[in-house]
């Protein structure tokens, strides 16, 4: 199991860049993400938290290609340990 995460600040910046919108506001996006995170992590049913046996990967400071490489390495190691 792999649980991907990134800081709210990085996610807000990524969302702003991906939207391409000149009218969106970084601070508003950031506050929206933080609010949603609080709700998701504290909801009664199925809160958004990493499973106890999950590998947590923080992708705040890595590129997409680096994330893929990290996940590929984890899978390769897991498969090798089962042989």
């Amino acid at each position: 199991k792999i649980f991907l995460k990134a800081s709210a600040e990085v996610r807000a910046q990524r969302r702003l860049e991906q939207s391409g919108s000149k009218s969106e506001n970084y601070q508003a996006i950031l506050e929206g993400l933080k609010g949603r995170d609080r709700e998701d992590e504290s909801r009664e049913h199925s809160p958004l938290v990493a499973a106890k046996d999950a590998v947590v990967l923080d992708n705040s400071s890595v590129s997409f290609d680096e994330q893929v490489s990290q996940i590929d390495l984890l899978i390769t190691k897991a498969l090798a340990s089962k042989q």
Side-chain angles (χ1 to χ4, degrees), residues 48-59:
L48 183 59
V49 294
K52 290 179 183 175
D53 59 343
V55 174
V56 178
L57 292 180
D58 186 331
N59 66 13

Side-chain angles (χ1 to χ4, degrees), residues 23-72:
S23 63
E24 286 198 78
N25 176 288
Y26 169 81
Q27 196 62 36
I29 294 170
L30 178 61
E31 292 307 314
L33 285 172
K34 286 182 176 181
R36 191 186 80 208
D37 287 351
R38 279 189 300 275
E39 290 174 10
D40 288 348
E41 292 167 358
S42 63
R43 65 183 174 230
E44 182 178 351
H45 299 289
S46 300
L48 183 59
V49 294
K52 290 179 183 175
D53 59 343
V55 174
V56 178
L57 292 180
D58 186 331
N59 66 13
S60 297
S61 61
V62 296
S63 71
F64 177 77
D65 289 338
E66 290 169 318
Q67 292 173 60
V68 171
S69 292
Q70 289 175 346
I71 293 168
D72 184 50

Side-chain angles (χ1 to χ4, degrees), residues 11-30 33:
R11 291 173 21 239
Q13 185 61 43
R14 288 175 180 169
R15 181 164 296 174
L16 185 63
E17 291 170 4
Q18 288 174 349
S19 75
S21 172
K22 304 260 189 251
S23 63
E24 286 198 78
N25 176 288
Y26 169 81
Q27 196 62 36
I29 294 170
L30 178 61
L33 285 172

